[in-house]
Amino acid sequence: MGQKGFFTDTTLCIGCKACEVACKQWNQLPDDGFHFTGMSYDNTGALGSATWRHVAFVERPVPLQGQTTGVGDFSWLMMSDVCKHCQHAGCLEACPTGAIIRTEFDTVYVQPDVCNGCGYCVVACPFGVISRREDDGRAWKCTLCYDRLGEGMTPACAKACPTESIVFGDLDELHARAENRIRALHERGVTDAYLYGKDAENQPGTGGLNAFFLLLDKPEVYGLPPDPVVPTKKAGRTWGAVALGALGMAAVALGSVLLGREARP
Amino acid sequence: MSPPVIGNEPTFLDKLQRKRDGRNVDPALGVLSGEGAQQRVKDPEDPHPERRPMPTLPSQLATERETAPSYYGLPAVKEPVWIWSVPTYLYVGGAAGAASLLGFMADVAGGPELERLGRRGRWVGTVGDVLSSGLLIHDLGRPSRFLNMLRVFRPTSPMSIGSWVLATSGGLNTLGLLLGQRRGWPGVVGRCATAGAGVLGMPLAGYTAVLLCNSAIPVWQATHRTLPLFFMSSATAAAGSLLSLLPHGPAEARVLRPYRLAGKVAELVMGVAVERDAARVPEVARPLHEGFSGTLWKTSRVCSAAGLVLDVLPGRARWKQVAADVLTTAGALAARFAIFHAGKASARNPQATFQGQRQGLGAAEVAGNTVASDGKPLKFPLPVLR
Ligand code: SF4
Ligand code: SF4
């Protein structure tokens, strides 16, 4: 089966939202409201329970490297955001029911028939991806088209992307492809380009993302955290504090009982 | 002044749409079998949080919260979906755990005089455990599936650990109540159960803090070393005050007084520690100082301090004691709600996530990396692009 993932090259994205539409249609997701947000061409807003692909539109008051425009200092950044299918997935490690599993394709999958809607995964995801739909009561997110992968098909979004900004494939092939692309871009003078979340070296907090990105500006600009960490990585210290507290609680309780007996008139 | 919210009033289009779920699949012509087809839609509504029109250009460079780079000021992590029952549980579960522990200690070391205190602790523990389960189930999106909590044991999930601790502690406490007074082997079983519940009372009071800290919510994660101690000392103070409010004799009062006071002092000290822990990055500590959560937090600190002062003041008037215990209880309860709402506010503020991580509160805290995911050294303010 191998490790499957997405490589999203934001330099190729033209903001057509074909991925958003393809995702909604294939997965038969309900709508997420028809609203005018005023945020450039982004009327989707954010990833959510019914929004598993989200194209971000950034209008920058700076030109792209090596590009001259007739309109002054301006450039577009567009990025199709998705669940990152983290190597160390916060949602998976937090789920108390075992509803979230790692599949044979090394992707992270929520089993809707098991989830009881405790909402813990929602706060555990360092990227703010998974969310609970209130009138459904369960948590939902991108499945990396688990049903399509099982049939040997490409996920709907990657299939629909007209510019190959979203590439689906085996992780090692994607890594090679991304490295080549970065090299080519750097040669062309776009030295701002970098890979976000390619591996554990790049992102120790998550151990790397199966859906990683090629970005041109700070992660913050796209709404991505600059140094994300799976909360579980800090759990050791937290449980240590609990152990200390337990000692204290026991000492106080025992001490008070003994004191109370001593003080007997 | 925040800009007006747009896009939340249902438009005519919304109302038309509301009749359907937006899937636009005619059941006569198509099958609903996609991965998301089971997603239930009762009342199609905008599932996104309220949106404000472009408060900032994403790429602008500045350090202030309003203008620092972010994606239109939208949150970087999702806000907790939990409701009032969770912070209430944080209080009830804590008090129940601490009461079980005190009851157990009174049984082991207290002698016949403190037998009543032991029983009272068990009662409070049992009732608290049952109440806690109810509060937690109430918060589930699918309450009927609450038993799925005990479907697996996942050591990486504090909620899984906590569910097991709560279920076991509730069971043992009940067993202890039923069998504790019996003679012969049922009595032995009952006393063992009491001991088990007493020991589990400690993690029960503390794991709730791990539950919050083990999340991506900046203010919760940033306080992961101090919040457990705060919750546990607050649980001690709360249990002491609760037991003092219930009728008790002079022998029990002699135990409850030092117990209560130690808890109250520790709670105040740890409250300051929590604030200092969060204050490592001002943007992270923000919800503890301002807004609804800030007011709650200040109120809780004042109540707790007043509860302690009133308690140590000389005089044996009953009203004074009652007032002190009520103040402490109010302080403990308000503190849980304050921490809970601070988490919500913190999640809404993308700068808490971004600046916290840029200043070393992200993976760098445990992994020791010195560069962020964009390959730039961790530092803030960010280097200027132009
Ligand atoms: S991005 Fe979030 S929801 Fe997706 S796998 Fe990682 S932790 Fe889970
Ligand atoms: S909401 Fe569902 S998927 Fe998320 S942690 Fe709870 S049980 Fe697991």
Side-chain angles (χ1 to χ4, degrees):
Chain A
M1 300 288 144
Q3 293 182 296
K4 302 284 186 197
F6 286 130
F7 166 47
T8 309
D9 182 346
T10 64
T11 54
L12 296 178
C13 181
I14 53 170
C16 69
K17 302 190 195 177
C19 49
E20 276 189 27
V21 177
C23 176
K24 280 250 175 208
Q25 286 208 322
W26 177 261
N27 293 306
Q28 297 180 326
L29 286 163
D31 77 51
D32 44 19
F34 294 84
H35 292 297
F36 180 68
T37 62
M39 307 183 317
S40 190
Y41 287 101
D42 179 3
N43 287 318
T44 311
L47 292 171
S49 47
T51 312
W52 297 352
R53 271 271 176 199
H54 159 234
V55 183
F57 289 77
V58 179
E59 299 173 12
R60 294 199 305 171
V62 266
L64 269 187
Q65 274 180 322
Q67 191 188 59
T68 35
T69 60
V71 292
D73 288 347
F74 181 82
S75 60
W76 281 107
L77 298 177
M78 292 152 209
M79 181 195 75
S80 179
D81 198 4
V82 70
C83 165
K84 281 80 186 170
H85 296 274
C86 318
Q87 282 295 324
H88 299 294
C91 60
L92 187 151
E93 296 187 353
C95 178
T97 63
I100 307 188
I101 53 164
R102 195 167 285 281
T103 68
E104 65 270 36
F105 305 105
D106 200 35
T107 57
V108 179
Y109 180 76
V110 191
Q111 308 173 83
D113 52 339
V114 178
C115 170
N116 67 7
C118 70
Y120 199 26
C121 52
V122 176
V123 291
C125 169
F127 300 96
V129 171
I130 191 165
S131 71
R132 187 170 90 179
R133 188 186 180 94
E134 284 319 311
D135 44 6
D136 178 76
R138 293 172 294 182
W140 298 85
K141 72 168 190 73
C142 159
T143 64
L144 218 146
C145 281
Y146 189 44
D147 51 350
R148 291 176 67 101
L149 293 203
E151 302 292 325
M153 292 157 77
T154 304
C157 53
K159 190 83 188 167
C161 179
T163 63
E164 289 200 333
S165 170
I166 303 171
V167 193
F168 165 80
D170 284 311
L171 215 51
D172 33 3
E173 279 167 31
L174 292 180
H175 282 172
R177 184 182 180 125
E179 294 294 353
N180 282 340
R181 176 72 181 158
I182 281 283
R183 216 170 300 126
L185 282 173
H186 283 195
E187 271 163 24
R188 274 198 253 162
V190 191
T191 48
D192 280 345
Y194 67 97
L195 296 176
Y196 178 87
K198 189 189 120 217
D199 48 27
E201 198 188 328
N202 170 262
Q203 208 171 77
T206 59
L209 310 173
N210 279 13
F212 62 103
F213 300 84
L214 187 153
L215 303 179
L216 287 181
D217 204 337
K218 294 173 287 297
E220 286 95 326
V221 170
Y222 302 89
L224 294 171
D227 191 23
V229 61
V230 189
T232 326
K233 293 228 175 215
K234 298 183 179 176
R237 296 151 131 222
T238 321
W239 283 115
V242 172
L244 193 68
L247 273 182
M249 277 181 82
V252 167
L254 186 63
S256 313
V257 169
L258 293 179
L259 263 180
R261 282 187 59 181
E262 288 293 308
R264 197 168 9 191
Chain B
M1 256 299 291
S2 49
V5 177
I6 55 162
N8 279 331
E9 288 297 306
T11 58
F12 180 63
L13 191 61
D14 285 336
K15 284 179 196 139
L16 273 184
Q17 241 356 85
R18 200 146 293 193
K19 293 210 168 56
R20 309 229 233 124
D21 56 12
R23 287 191 174 95
N24 300 331
V25 177
D26 183 346
L29 301 174
V31 238
L32 278 173
S33 63
E35 294 271 23
Q38 290 182 46
Q39 198 171 114
R40 196 165 63 192
V41 180
K42 285 190 202 132
D43 183 19
E45 247 184 316
D46 178 16
H48 299 310
E50 58 183 38
R51 289 180 214 134
R52 297 170 189 286
M54 235 196 278
T56 162
L57 277 178
S59 207
Q60 233 161 11
L61 294 148
T63 53
E64 295 91 61
R65 174 208 223 173
E66 282 72 24
T67 46
S70 75
Y71 189 67
Y72 301 104
L74 290 184
V77 292
K78 287 269 181 295
E79 196 177 320
V81 289
W82 297 326
I83 52 171
W84 60 270
S85 61
V86 167
T88 312
Y89 159 67
L90 298 182
Y91 166 80
V92 175
S100 314
L101 175 68
L102 184 64
F104 166 56
M105 287 299 184
D107 276 350
V108 220
E113 254 202 326
L114 291 179
E115 207 177 291
R116 271 186 60 202
L117 182 63
R119 210 160 45 242
R120 174 86 27 80
R122 269 197 301 287
W123 265 109
V124 172
T126 313
V127 172
D129 286 346
V130 173
L131 210 60
S132 297
S133 318
L135 287 167
L136 283 183
I137 292 172
H138 179 67
D139 179 66
L140 294 180
R142 290 276 169 116
S144 57
R145 293 188 183 171
F146 73 94
L147 271 179
N148 280 8
M149 283 292 184
L150 306 180
R151 184 179 163 264
V152 291
F153 177 68
R154 201 196 280 283
T156 54
S157 166
M159 191 177 280
S160 174
I161 297 182
S163 304
W164 281 103
V165 166
L166 181 61
T168 319
S169 149
L172 290 180
N173 257 331
T174 314
L175 208 62
L177 264 187
L178 291 178
L179 301 179
Q181 308 299 317
R182 302 274 190 88
R183 276 169 220 280
W185 66 266
V188 175
V189 172
R191 281 188 290 280
C192 288
T194 309
V199 172
L200 281 180
M202 295 181 280
L204 184 59
Y207 100 83
T208 46
V210 188
L211 182 81
L212 299 188
C213 298
N214 191 64
S215 72
I217 309 300
V219 68
W220 291 348
Q221 198 186 91
T223 52
H224 68 275
R225 282 169 310 185
T226 43
L227 201 63
L229 294 173
F230 174 70
F231 272 25
M232 291 170 101
S233 47
S234 173
T236 304
S241 299
L242 188 65
L243 289 169
S244 309
L245 280 174
L246 298 173
H248 58 274
E252 290 146 68
R254 282 196 295 277
V255 175
L256 285 175
R257 187 175 157 81
Y259 183 71
R260 205 171 57 215
L261 289 181
K264 290 182 185 187
V265 171
E267 189 200 10
L268 282 174
V269 173
M270 289 321 298
V272 176
V274 166
E275 271 177 42
R276 290 183 54 134
D277 216 10
R280 286 180 290 166
V281 175
E283 205 59 51
V284 171
R286 221 165 158 136
L288 291 180
H289 303 305
E290 60 186 46
F292 178 54
S293 55
T295 314
L296 264 179
W297 177 250
K298 271 175 238 150
T299 313
S300 85
R301 297 302 79 212
V302 170
C303 285
S304 297
L308 173 64
V309 170
L310 214 55
D311 210 342
V312 291
L313 277 183
R316 286 178 172 267
R318 176 76 184 141
W319 70 264
K320 190 194 75 144
Q321 193 51 51
V322 169
D325 293 333
V326 167
L327 277 171
T328 303
T329 305
L333 203 53
R336 310 303 161 100
F337 274 86
I339 296 286
F340 175 72
H341 284 287
K344 290 206 165 205
S346 185
R348 280 193 298 267
N349 174 10
Q351 291 310 324
T353 304
F354 296 158
Q355 297 189 16
Q357 295 185 1
R358 284 282 179 196
Q359 294 178 56
L361 294 188
E365 212 178 2
V366 275
N369 51 312
T370 49
V371 292
S373 295
D374 56 358
K376 306 268 164 50
L378 284 167
K379 69 168 189 261
F380 198 85
L382 299 173
V384 175
L385 191 77
R386 238 179 260 245

